[in-house]
Amino acid sequence: MEIMNKPTAPTPRTQVKRVAEYASYDAALLHAIVDSAYVCHIAFGDANGSHCIPTACWRLGGHLYIHGSNGSRMLKRLQEQECCVTITHVDGLVLARSAFNHSMNYRSAMIYGRFEAVDEAHKRVAMEAFMEHIVPGRQAEIRAGNDKEYAATTVMRIALAEAACKTRTGPPNDDAEDMDIPVWTGVLPLVTTHGAPVVEQGCTLPTPAYVAAWDA
């Protein structure tokens, strides 16, 4: 059974100090930021230095999950040391009256801890949840992973217990002395959209409902 890990009070690693009013330690917000992501960035170190690697991610309960080949350098290191996972969604460019008051609207999360490998029984549940995260309804129609594929794959998770979110919304915050500068101000929204599905050449099967709804 999946254990719900709720962010605790800020720790020395998660305490937001710069523009602290943008910070949140709310589990619902953290989960929403993770659930909106397909990719996270994981920072770790090894004998060759520091690395920050993008990788696919998804959430089950109170954990963020990743997967990869058994031989992955990153997955091996993550079981040996603490790391930091980040996710960022940029929602808009904020144009102010002065250069240094320009900003961005965004939703971000930082997660600290150590990854653990999941056992063989939970590995299949987790990977099926990954497929449903990518495209809900797809798992039921495709060939499931076989024993050889699962044996070559490591699935890992990190608890969402030590984490912080930081978000910004709204218009620019100009200084009082700049308010008379005659320049356009406001927000240029950035939105992720779903494009029209592109069928593979030679595929003559009817379009499933979840594909038809992709760009609806």
Side-chain angles (χ1 to χ4, degrees):
M1 179 179 293
E2 179 64 36
I3 299 174
M4 296 297 291
N5 288 287
K6 296 183 178 181
T8 59
T11 69
R13 295 194 291 192
T14 62
Q15 179 72 59
V16 176
K17 298 179 180 178
R18 177 135 183 6
V19 196
E21 62 268 27
Y22 292 170
S24 174
Y25 307 93
D26 178 67
L29 176 60
L30 173 63
H31 292 177
I33 291 171
V34 175
D35 290 345
S36 295
Y38 293 106
V39 172
C40 66
H41 287 77
I42 304 177
F44 66 99
D46 64 13
N48 294 315
S50 299
H51 312 277
C52 184
I53 296 181
T55 190
C57 66
W58 69 102
R59 181 180 68 87
L60 267 178
H63 290 86
L64 177 144
Y65 285 74
I66 62 173
H67 79 296
S69 165
N70 291 345
S72 165
R73 170 190 61 174
M74 179 177 74
L75 298 190
K76 290 179 179 178
R77 297 291 84 78
L78 291 180
Q79 296 180 72
E80 301 170 352
Q81 62 183 253
E82 299 278 303
C83 72
C84 179
V85 182
T86 62
I87 294 173
T88 303
H89 305 287
V90 180
D91 299 318
L93 305 179
V94 181
L95 308 187
R97 290 171 175 81
S98 69
F100 276 78
N101 278 331
H102 280 61
S103 187
M104 295 183 186
N105 287 337
Y106 60 90
R107 293 160 289 139
S108 66
M110 297 183 69
I111 303 152
Y112 290 91
R114 181 176 296 191
F115 277 88
E116 62 179 0
V118 305
D119 60 30
E120 292 301 314
H122 189 58
K123 182 187 292 188
R124 294 177 182 268
V125 173
M127 289 300 290
E128 290 177 3
F130 177 41
M131 184 60 63
E132 287 299 299
H133 173 62
I134 296 173
V135 183
R138 185 71 173 170
Q139 177 67 34
E141 294 190 356
I142 58 175
R143 175 182 69 79
N146 58 38
D147 291 344
K148 181 179 179 180
E149 290 167 328
Y150 274 106
T153 302
T154 297
V155 178
M156 300 181 65
R157 69 181 189 177
I158 186 172
L160 296 174
E162 188 180 3
C165 302
K166 197 173 180 183
T167 63
R168 187 197 189 281
T169 60
N173 296 319
D174 277 303
D175 298 327
E177 59 268 28
D178 293 331
M179 294 304 293
D180 292 333
I181 297 175
V183 65
W184 189 94
T185 57
V187 177
L188 303 179
L190 292 171
V191 181
T192 299
T193 62
H194 291 183
V198 180
V199 65
E200 181 186 20
Q201 185 177 2
C203 178
T204 59
L205 295 175
T207 302
Y210 60 82
V211 172
W214 176 253
D215 63 335

